[in-house]
């Protein structure tokens, strides 16, 4: 399940991507504006934006007209990367993870484990969508390479 922190991070990044379309590429957006427009608690948003900055997704500007802006183009920021950054691996079990694999301690035979097999398929399907959906896709009304409203 997506954490509230990851959801707020995505909302902030989408807001910054929209602002980028309406302003110059690096004109910052104040944290108070983002918090108010996205209904995110300001203190929590500050922590999220600092984490996004540490990982090179946003940049900050100081001063009276300071704030945050995307550090790279919206087409280079993918949902999968942001979710992994905030919440960790996409897989629901460590034995199904590509990035944080760990054998389950109670598993008798990983090769024949039906639970692992199904959850690897879930991971692959989720990853397939999240890793090909950028902020730019969402702004353009596409999701996972498909138009919003189209079935998956």
């Amino acid at each position: 399940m997506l954490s509230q922190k990851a959801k707020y991070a995505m909302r902030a990044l989408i807001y910054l991507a929209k602002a980028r379309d309406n302003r110059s590429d690096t004109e910052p957006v104040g944290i108070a504006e983002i918090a108010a427009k996205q209904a995110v608690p300001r203190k929590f948003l500050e922590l999220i934006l600092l984490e996004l900055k540490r990982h090179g997704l946003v940049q900050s500007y100081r001063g009276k007209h300071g704030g945050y802006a995307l550090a790279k183009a919206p087409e280079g920021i993918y949902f999968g990367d942001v979710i992994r950054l905030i919440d960790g691996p996409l897989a629901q079990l460590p034995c199904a993870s590509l990035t944080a694999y760990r054998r389950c301690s109670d598993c008798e035979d990983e090769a024949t484990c039906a639970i692992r097999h199904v959850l690897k398929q879930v991971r692959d399907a989720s990853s397939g969508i999240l890793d090909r959906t950028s902020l730019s896709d969402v702004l353009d009304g596409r999701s996972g390479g498909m138009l919003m409203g189209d079935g998956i």
Side-chain angles (χ1 to χ4, degrees), residues 90-134:
L90 299 176
Q92 296 174 332
L93 282 178
C95 67
S97 177
L98 289 176
T99 59
Y101 170 83
R102 197 175 71 250
R103 185 181 175 96
C104 294
S105 61
D106 60 346
C107 186
E108 292 181 24
D109 183 11
E110 197 173 74
T112 62
C113 178
I115 297 168
R116 179 176 189 254
H117 177 71
V118 169
L119 291 181
K120 280 179 70 175
Q121 291 177 13
V122 170
R123 181 220 49 220
D124 291 346
S126 296
S127 176
I129 295 167
L130 296 170
D131 289 341
R132 71 173 180 253
T133 303
S134 70

Side-chain angles (χ1 to χ4, degrees), residues 12-22 70 74 135-136 139:
L13 288 168
I14 291 168
Y15 189 80
L16 290 172
K18 287 179 184 176
R20 183 182 173 114
D21 284 348
N22 299 325
L70 294 180
L135 297 180
S136 181
L139 295 180

Side-chain angles (χ1 to χ4, degrees), residues 17 20 24 36-37 43 61 66 75 86 92-93 96 104 107 111 114 138 146:
R20 183 182 173 114
S24 72
K37 298 285 186 177
K43 288 291 182 188
Y61 297 88
E75 53 271 8
I86 301 295
Q92 296 174 332
L93 282 178
C104 294
C107 186
V138 171
M146 300 167 69

